[in-house]
Amino acid sequence: GIQVEQSPPDLILQEGANSTLRCNFSDSVNNLQWFHQNPWGQLINLFYIPSGTKQNGRLSATTVATERYSLLYISSSQTTDSGVYFCAVERRKAGNTPLVFGKGTRLSVIA
Amino acid sequence: DGGITQSPKYLFRKEGQNVTLSCEQNLNHDAMYWYRQDPGQGLRLIYYSQIVNDFQKGDIAEGYSVSREKKESFPLTVTSAQKNPTAFYLCASTGRGSSYEQYFGPGTRLTVT
């Protein structure tokens, strides 16, 4: 099956710093999403981005589907950005099939 | 407001008892999913359903059962056959259309002693 690898596994930042999280996947995908899991366990959708670039405030994401990777950029980090960031891709191109999740990047932003 | 609800938020059970976790969505989504998350780990798929009255096993279905009698509801039963049931359980759903964004409920933390 498709493999999803995220790096780095852990990241500690000073408030105000920028960071880049990476997601590599082993096969072509029809669906790629980035999620943020807050300290209470809730997963929040950040981006649906099977290809191209999107921006939402201080966050942006780029997926280069032909090279099988996606990047999540966090600028001017805040303590509320802390948590775990997951990348997930769809197993097949049929749609509505289960996502395969990476192991996540745990981000800690220190004031 | 549309969304996914899971209840209860915390659940405690004795070993050997079956327990059912609730998941309801009012997003009119066709597909629903159950994931398990252990501390410091990613999400693993237990079961999923793409349509009412149909469901498929995921990667770790042993010791779990589900039903999908209504589009809005996808309850998960953790049976006594599940060897390590203590975990955080997350329910999710996706709709049809030009994108298949997956949305998650708030989760249920199950502790079995």
Side-chain angles (χ1 to χ4, degrees), chain B residues 52-65:
Chain B
V52 174
N53 292 323
D54 188 42
F55 48 82
Q56 287 78 40
K57 293 182 179 179
D59 301 313
I60 56 164
E62 186 175 347
Y64 299 97
S65 66

Side-chain angles (χ1 to χ4, degrees), chain A residues 37 40-41, chain B residues 35-37 86-90 106-110:
Chain A
Q37 187 170 37
W40 297 272
Chain B
Y35 295 90
R36 169 183 173 138
Q37 186 178 32
T86 295
F88 186 47
Y89 291 88
L90 287 153
T108 292
R109 292 192 186 275
L110 173 64

